[in-house]
Amino acid sequence: MLNDFPAHKLQFYLTSPYPCSYLPDRVARSQVATPSQLITTPLYSRLIHLGFRRSGTYVYRPLCDRCRACVPVRVRVMEFTPNRAQRRAWIRHGGLSVRMTPLSYEDEHFALYRRYQARRHPGGGMDHDNSHQYRQFLLESGVSTTLVEFREQGVLRMVSIVDEVADGLSAVYTFYDPDVPRASFGTYNILWQIETCRQRGLPYLYLGYWIAHSDKMAYKIRFRPLEGLVDSTWRLLET
C-alpha cells in the first residue's frame, strides 16, 4: 500500500477535477507521486503494481470521486495465445525491421507523430503538439526506457516507447503510419512486446488502463489472458 513508501521520500497528492479524456461528460482526478526525480526503475516497479502509470516524468493513477472505469491491466505473457486476427497481423507485419535505442529526439519521429495525431486523434489536443511538448510527453523519463523503431524497407512505419520494470515491460505509447491501407501496426506492436517479454522470461506486459466503454481503450481486452487491478487485487478479467 501507499503507506509502505516513507513520507520523507515520496508523497502523493490529488489533482483538482478536470474533464475526462475518455468518457464524455465525466470529470476525472488523478493521484500523483512526487517528487518525480526520486522515482527510479525499482520504485516505479512497485508503483505500477499499485496501478500507477507514467507520462513523461509525471507518475499518476486515476482516482476519480465517483468513477472506477479505468482498470489497470497486464497480459499474462506465458499463457497468451493470439487469436486469428492477431495471427494475421503478426504475419502481415513480420517483415518489419526493429531497432531499439535510448530515448532521443529525431525529426523523422516527430513528423510521424504529428501525422499520426492529425489522422487518428484529430481534435484530441495532441494533434497540435510542438517538439517541446513531444519531448516532454515521450522523451523524458526517470526509469529504464527504450525507444523502438519499426521500418519497412527503410521507411519508418512505427515508433514505440517501452518501460522496463521488474516483472515485465510497460507499453508507454506507440504511434505509427496512419496511411498504410489495411495495416494492423498497433496490434503487431503489442504482439511484439509480448514476444519480447517471453524471450526475456518476463511474466507481464502492462498495457495501462482498460476502459470498457471507451473505444480508445476497449481493444486491450482482446489480448488474453488479461489481468486487471480490481479492489487492490490483480485478477483475471473475464469480460
Side-chain angles (χ1 to χ4, degrees):
M1 302 300 294
L2 293 185
N3 55 13
D4 292 335
F5 297 92
H8 70 282
K9 290 186 177 181
L10 198 64
Q11 297 182 357
F12 302 86
Y13 71 87
L14 194 61
T15 68
S16 299
Y18 56 88
C20 179
S21 301
Y22 301 105
L23 299 175
D25 303 321
R26 296 204 191 184
V27 174
R29 301 183 79 180
S30 293
Q31 186 177 47
V32 181
T34 188
S36 59
Q37 61 266 27
L38 294 184
I39 302 177
T40 58
T41 298
L43 187 52
Y44 185 58
S45 296
R46 294 177 62 191
L47 287 168
I48 206 169
H49 279 205
L50 298 173
F52 283 81
R53 291 286 291 169
R54 182 184 69 78
S55 177
T57 58
Y58 181 80
V59 177
Y60 70 97
R61 66 178 178 181
L63 197 63
C64 304
D65 293 331
R66 288 179 290 275
C67 179
R68 292 295 181 267
C70 293
V71 179
V73 291
R74 64 188 186 184
V75 181
R76 290 183 183 176
V77 167
M78 302 307 173
E79 302 168 51
F80 172 76
T81 301
N83 61 30
R84 182 178 300 177
Q86 290 162 354
R87 290 196 297 270
R88 285 199 300 266
W90 184 254
I91 294 169
R92 175 177 175 81
H93 299 301
L96 291 173
S97 63
V98 180
R99 186 170 77 102
M100 304 174 69
T101 73
L103 294 178
S104 63
Y105 176 83
E106 299 286 346
D107 286 335
E108 184 183 25
H109 297 168
F110 179 56
L112 180 63
Y113 173 83
R114 287 292 303 271
R115 189 152 55 92
Y116 169 81
Q117 294 294 349
R119 300 284 200 281
R120 298 303 298 264
H121 304 292
M126 295 192 294
D127 49 335
H128 296 295
D129 278 2
N130 58 35
S131 61
H132 176 69
Q133 291 167 314
Y134 167 78
R135 291 171 192 262
Q136 282 188 317
F137 175 39
L138 294 180
L139 303 182
E140 293 185 4
S141 171
V143 304
S144 181
T145 306
T146 300
L147 184 150
V148 190
E149 283 185 353
F150 297 83
R151 293 182 181 270
E152 184 176 34
Q153 297 180 348
V155 178
L156 182 66
R157 294 299 191 196
M158 181 163 55
V159 174
S160 187
I161 309 297
V162 183
D163 286 341
E164 302 172 28
V165 294
D167 60 355
L169 298 178
S170 174
V172 177
Y173 200 77
T174 296
F175 54 95
Y176 51 80
D177 190 334
D179 299 319
V180 178
R182 298 180 299 279
S184 302
F185 291 128
T187 296
Y188 178 80
N189 182 266
I190 294 176
L191 296 173
W192 181 87
Q193 292 186 42
I194 290 172
E195 181 58 26
T196 300
C197 286
R198 194 193 311 273
Q199 292 175 2
R200 297 183 183 183
L202 299 171
Y204 300 114
L205 173 64
Y206 291 86
L207 290 180
Y209 301 112
W210 170 63
I211 305 172
H213 299 294
S214 167
D215 291 340
K216 294 180 181 179
M217 296 294 189
Y219 71 91
K220 298 177 184 182
I221 199 66
R222 297 196 292 267
F223 295 87
R224 298 172 179 272
L226 192 70
E227 289 185 350
L229 185 62
V230 180
D231 297 330
S232 302
T233 301
W234 288 97
R235 61 187 66 181
L236 189 66
L237 296 178
E238 302 292 349
T239 303

